[in-house]
Amino acid sequence: MSGINGHTSAPVLAQRCVLAAPFSVWRDRLRRDVRNALSDFVETRCARDLGPAGVDVAPEVLRLLVDGGKCLRSTFLYLGWRCGAADDPGAVRAAASFELLHAFALLQDDVMDGSTLRRGRPAAHVTFAQWHRDRVLSGPADRFGEAAAVLLGDLCLVWAEQMMRESGVPAEALARAWPRYDAMRTELAVGQFADLVNDAAEFPAWDRVLDVLRRKSGNYTVRRPLEIGAAMAGCSPEVLDTLGGYGAAVGEAFQLRDDVLGTFGSPDVTGKPAGSDLAEHKATSVVVAAYRLADPAVRRELTDLMSTAALDDADLDRWRSLIVATGAVEYVERLIDSRRSRALDLLARARLDDIVSTALAETATACCERAA
């Protein structure tokens, strides 16, 4: 029996048995292995590095931040690896490093957006601010909290690369990945810049909305991890092209779903305040689609809401009802379905191992149908 690129080995046969199990079993096992690798690195490297900082709450803030995530980016990197190589604990550790990269992005996001909650718990900058207040330190507590969160994010960016470099993946395999890794980090930062001016009151063009969506989250969540894993594994240009197309489609669907949840999701499920995207006046796909689809009377009302500095709960409820009335939710749902179909069609036409292709198809569905 041969691997995806035609190479036969006992580890491939063993991994085929793992992937032949129900997808949920395989996914949960990978998440467990990723979290174990991540926990070990946090305790042996990150917690130790944070000691001289003098902020004793920082290690616990980091532990909570990396605990309980969906491990999507690490899953996609590992699936990319499995498109050209056998099961390998070093590849699992390399994949786990992407959870630290994601922690960096979350810390930045919450400071930029002024979000008070993350996964149902106080955001890192809120916890740091409270630590400052409890000790009656000088200076504004909120300013301290934001600065501490930014610094912890900087450390996570450094640790992510260190964990990948020290994962045990051969240097020649990592060398194939670094150019894509650097491009991904640059793309993510540029997407964050673009998001700073992503103001609903400006009514951005639809193409710009999709561009921000791809740069800030879609590519970094799906496409780039897949491509990086596949590059490490030495996959052919044809496989990389297929994964790139699949990743672009699923990444867009993932962020479109995130936009729906950011408007209509329950805080009990999403772990973030209800209607947080509306309260922050973000020009998400849902908001811009509603404006484009609205009749003149509704568009004027949407314009008033988009331009109102402080929105109360009644304003948010009204905005949500107007979005529903325009048919924007159904429109975005159709976009999600079309991108999932595109991704599945690429997989169907690709020359990938059937079992790995099935795992990619199941993961695409999970991204499109998620509730949090």
Side-chain angles (χ1 to χ4, degrees):
M1 189 177 295
S2 65
I4 294 167
N5 282 350
H7 304 296
T8 302
S9 66
V12 171
L13 296 179
Q15 182 64 359
R16 284 179 67 87
C17 293
V18 172
L19 287 175
F23 172 71
S24 60
V25 174
W26 174 84
R27 179 196 60 202
D28 292 346
R29 185 176 294 138
L30 178 60
R31 285 180 179 174
R32 179 201 64 201
D33 292 345
V34 163
R35 287 168 179 164
N36 286 342
L38 184 61
S39 176
D40 181 66
F41 189 85
V42 167
E43 296 306 322
T44 60
R45 172 63 64 83
C46 307
R48 183 196 68 196
D49 287 353
L50 283 168
V55 183
D56 55 19
V57 74
E60 184 61 18
V61 169
L62 178 60
R63 292 186 192 101
L64 290 174
L65 191 63
V66 300
D67 177 56
K70 293 179 284 294
C71 298
L72 272 176
R73 293 149 195 88
S74 49
T75 296
F76 279 118
L77 184 140
Y78 196 73
L79 282 171
W81 169 268
R82 281 294 290 115
C83 283
D87 185 31
D88 184 271
V92 172
R93 288 190 290 272
S97 73
F98 272 53
E99 299 308 310
L100 282 169
L101 183 65
H102 188 45
F104 152 74
L106 295 181
L107 286 160
Q108 274 202 343
D109 259 355
D110 288 344
V111 170
M112 288 169 57
D113 297 342
S115 299
T116 58
L117 292 176
R118 171 63 62 182
R119 294 174 183 158
R121 296 187 288 254
H125 64 280
V126 174
T127 299
F128 282 129
Q130 189 57 51
W131 183 90
H132 181 282
R133 292 188 190 94
D134 291 343
R135 283 151 186 77
V136 198
L137 300 179
S138 60
D142 289 343
R143 178 64 174 164
F144 172 88
E146 292 174 353
V150 168
L151 289 171
L152 183 59
D154 291 343
L155 283 167
C156 285
L157 186 62
V158 173
W159 287 327
E161 182 175 333
Q162 287 179 332
M163 187 177 183
M164 188 166 172
R165 191 169 58 242
E166 299 168 10
S167 63
V169 172
E172 60 271 21
L174 289 175
R176 293 191 292 267
W178 290 131
R180 295 176 184 273
Y181 190 80
D182 290 340
M184 174 191 66
R185 291 185 297 180
T186 301
E187 187 176 52
L188 172 61
V190 170
Q192 294 279 47
F193 256 119
D195 197 44
L196 280 176
V197 293
N198 189 25
D199 191 341
E202 294 296 323
F203 311 127
W206 183 248
D207 286 348
R208 174 172 172 76
V209 173
L210 291 181
D211 184 61
V212 172
L213 177 150
R214 295 184 194 106
R215 290 178 181 275
K216 183 176 180 289
S217 181
N219 284 349
Y220 142 77
T221 298
V222 184
R223 181 177 182 177
R224 303 313 182 199
L226 264 176
E227 291 175 336
I228 288 168
M232 287 196 308
C235 287
S236 67
E238 291 77 18
V239 170
L240 282 163
D241 285 346
T242 294
L243 294 178
Y246 163 97
V250 176
E252 283 190 30
F254 175 87
Q255 187 55 42
L256 288 166
R257 173 63 62 206
D258 201 62
D259 288 351
V260 174
L261 292 172
T263 301
F264 297 99
S266 165
D268 293 336
V269 176
T270 64
K272 298 187 72 175
S276 55
D277 285 351
L278 298 182
E280 295 161 15
H281 295 81
K282 286 190 175 182
T284 65
S285 59
V286 175
V287 168
V288 176
Y291 181 77
R292 287 162 53 90
L293 294 169
D295 61 34
V298 172
R299 185 172 289 186
R300 283 192 295 272
E301 196 166 352
L302 287 171
T303 300
D304 290 340
L305 288 165
M306 291 172 178
S307 305
T308 301
L311 298 166
D312 58 25
D313 288 344
D315 292 328
L316 295 176
D317 287 342
R318 179 57 181 161
W319 198 343
R320 279 189 287 260
S321 69
L322 290 172
I323 289 172
V324 171
T326 64
V329 178
E330 290 87 349
Y331 178 75
V332 173
E333 290 290 348
R334 288 195 297 273
L335 293 180
I336 293 171
D337 287 342
S338 71
R339 280 147 179 79
R340 173 169 51 185
S341 296
R342 184 192 309 165
L344 296 180
D345 183 59
L346 284 168
L347 290 179
R349 292 188 282 110
R351 298 177 62 184
L352 296 176
D353 181 280
D354 288 345
I355 297 171
V356 177
S357 182
T358 297
L360 285 167
E362 294 280 2
T363 309
T365 297
C367 286
C368 294
E369 296 181 354
R370 67 195 179 93

